[in-house]
Amino acid sequence: MTEQTDRIFFAKLADMVNRCERDGYSVFSSFFDERQCAEAEMWCRRNTGGLHYTFHGGFHEANRKMLAVYPDYCEDYIKDEFPIKCLTFTYRKEDRLNHRDFLGSFMGLMLKRDTIGDIVVSEGIAQTAVTEVAAKDILSSVSKIGRTGIKVSDSRDFELSLSDIQQFRDIGGTVASLRLDCITALAANISREKAVSFIRADRVDVNHFTVSSVSHELKEGDILSIRGFGRFILSAVNGLTKKSRIRIILKKYI
């Protein structure tokens, strides 16, 4: 985020808290991406006072989520209050559709990106979380995705799993240490010197936050994003070689 974008984002969070305190009702955001969720989580820890907050994206594995700020009495049923609809699209298995096809069709309806949650695509079926307003537009307007005829319904719960559909490519290798510059070099297949320049140019994120320190140490499970090279998970740290280098496995999102 830029500094101005940060200010606008945090002002919206403050407005959610103020409305909840004033009216005594739950207040919901639009869909946040993973980085916005992380930023909002940190902000809410410090600024929600006696109110509660939680995130939900329509299903338990969701990456894109809404934030709810709510008073005490809503705790038991807050997940059911989120203004999220699950839309299910069915089509012939031989018709190959992907995430971009669906998102492009939704954007063609002039829907904002923050009204759309995760889009999970499998053979002959896709599901997406959307706001209630976006659901009405999609249900009334979408009969094709690209040139492929589809049927769309809002009567099914989420059945697809991101973990079953998400594909990775393993990158194995050894590094001198778990410092960010070493692992960036291995992940992007570039020299360590070039990795340092990328980090200092704010082109590398760890767990959705930009890290400019080349000596920052990663741990198993950390998510590494390198602009222009993709996103990776530090999947395993497997001990030392005879030359005291560290064996690691990175999983690259494909």
Side-chain angles (χ1 to χ4, degrees), residues 111-144:
L111 296 173
K112 292 184 178 180
R113 186 65 181 95
D114 63 8
T115 66
I116 310 294
D118 284 300
I119 303 169
V120 188
V121 184
S122 188
E123 289 187 356
I125 184 172
Q127 293 186 301
T128 183
V130 297
T131 64
E132 292 175 341
V133 173
K136 291 178 182 177
D137 288 342
I138 294 169
L139 286 165
S140 64
S141 304
V142 175
S143 58
K144 288 185 176 181

Side-chain angles (χ1 to χ4, degrees), residues 144-162:
K144 288 185 176 181
I145 300 295
R147 297 182 178 179
T148 299
I150 57 96
K151 293 181 180 179
V152 58
S153 166
D154 63 352
S155 62
R156 293 164 67 169
D157 293 330
F158 264 94
E159 305 161 17
L160 301 180
S161 167
L162 278 175

Side-chain angles (χ1 to χ4, degrees), residues 221-249:
D222 281 349
I223 299 172
L224 174 70
S225 298
I226 308 168
R227 289 165 184 74
F229 291 90
R231 190 161 65 152
F232 310 80
I233 299 174
L234 179 53
S235 175
V237 178
N238 292 326
L240 300 176
T241 68
K242 291 180 179 179
K243 295 184 177 181
S244 296
R245 290 179 63 83
I246 304 170
R247 296 188 186 92
I248 66 170
I249 296 175

Side-chain angles (χ1 to χ4, degrees), residues 59-242:
F59 63 109
H60 77 280
E61 292 180 319
N63 292 318
R64 295 178 60 83
K65 300 174 185 177
M66 288 183 180
L67 166 67
V69 178
Y70 58 96
D72 220 11
Y73 71 88
C74 298
E75 181 72 36
D76 291 340
Y77 54 84
I78 188 64
K79 285 289 177 69
D80 297 327
E81 294 294 305
F82 275 83
I84 296 175
K85 283 282 189 180
C86 172
L87 297 185
T88 301
F89 303 83
T90 53
Y91 47 94
R92 299 183 308 168
K93 287 187 177 181
E94 54 266 35
D95 290 323
R96 299 295 181 182
L97 295 174
N98 59 39
H99 184 282
R100 184 178 297 177
D101 296 324
F102 283 92
L103 184 58
S105 291
F106 302 155
M107 295 298 99
L109 297 177
M110 306 304 293
L111 296 173
K112 292 184 178 180
R113 186 65 181 95
D114 63 8
T115 66
I116 310 294
D118 284 300
I119 303 169
V120 188
V121 184
S122 188
E123 289 187 356
I125 184 172
Q127 293 186 301
T128 183
V130 297
T131 64
E132 292 175 341
V133 173
K136 291 178 182 177
D137 288 342
I138 294 169
L139 286 165
S140 64
S141 304
V142 175
S143 58
K144 288 185 176 181
I145 300 295
R147 297 182 178 179
T148 299
I150 57 96
K151 293 181 180 179
V152 58
S153 166
D154 63 352
S155 62
R156 293 164 67 169
D157 293 330
F158 264 94
E159 305 161 17
L160 301 180
S161 167
L162 278 175
S163 58
D164 289 342
I165 294 167
Q166 180 65 63
Q167 294 183 320
F168 300 92
R169 176 169 62 86
D170 284 353
I171 300 173
T174 65
V175 290
S177 77
L178 297 179
R179 284 169 41 128
L180 183 57
D181 55 346
C182 297
I183 294 180
T184 297
L186 176 63
N189 193 26
I190 56 178
S191 69
R192 190 165 167 184
E193 290 74 19
K194 195 164 189 178
V196 168
S197 69
F198 278 18
I199 295 164
R200 288 178 175 164
D202 293 336
R203 292 180 60 182
V204 179
D205 292 353
V206 178
N207 297 328
H208 318 301
F209 291 98
T210 301
V211 177
S212 55
S213 170
V214 298
S215 60
H216 176 86
E217 289 216 352
L218 276 70
K219 60 184 183 301
E220 282 190 15
D222 281 349
I223 299 172
L224 174 70
S225 298
I226 308 168
R227 289 165 184 74
F229 291 90
R231 190 161 65 152
F232 310 80
I233 299 174
L234 179 53
S235 175
V237 178
N238 292 326
L240 300 176
T241 68
K242 291 180 179 179

